[in-house]
Amino acid sequence: MLQCPKCKKGYDENYAFCEECGVRLISTGPHITMQQRNLVFDRIERSVFFRITRSYTWGILVFAILGFVAALFFFYLTSGL
Ligand SMILES: [Zn+2]
């Protein structure tokens, strides 16, 4: 339920203008609120995505370091001291 800011008459949410005084109601809202909701969801989705990719990158980095150490160890063993 919306209220006209000028004459304080109550309206349904699908009204765009006040029937009483013609003032534009905040009821253009559905689109805006949907966009805001999408933005919030988008932000959450993006942060989750970043977190996943970040942990994935860390996994690759750790794996690369382990592989490098293993390769060094392998060369150390096969260098025939
Ligand atoms: Zn009004």
Side-chain angles (χ1 to χ4, degrees):
M1 194 71 171
L2 289 163
Q3 202 183 35
C4 175
K6 204 173 174 184
C7 63
K8 307 294 178 194
K9 193 172 187 281
Y11 284 101
D12 240 45
E13 284 197 25
N14 50 356
Y15 277 85
F17 295 96
C18 178
E19 282 184 339
E20 202 70 19
C21 63
V23 148
R24 191 192 183 91
L25 300 169
I26 325 155
S27 113
T28 15
H31 292 289
I32 293 165
T33 49
M34 274 299 281
Q35 275 182 349
Q36 284 173 339
R37 214 172 293 166
N38 284 346
L39 274 175
V40 169
F41 272 123
D42 198 44
R43 201 181 300 162
I44 292 167
E45 203 173 74
R46 208 171 295 166
S47 69
V48 168
F49 179 73
F50 272 130
R51 204 171 299 161
I52 289 168
T53 49
R54 205 185 300 152
S55 61
Y56 187 65
T57 309
W58 273 109
I60 287 174
L61 195 69
V62 168
F63 191 74
I65 290 167
L66 281 176
F68 184 68
V69 169
L72 279 180
F73 192 65
F74 179 76
F75 280 124
Y76 175 75
L77 283 180
T78 54
S79 61
L81 271 169

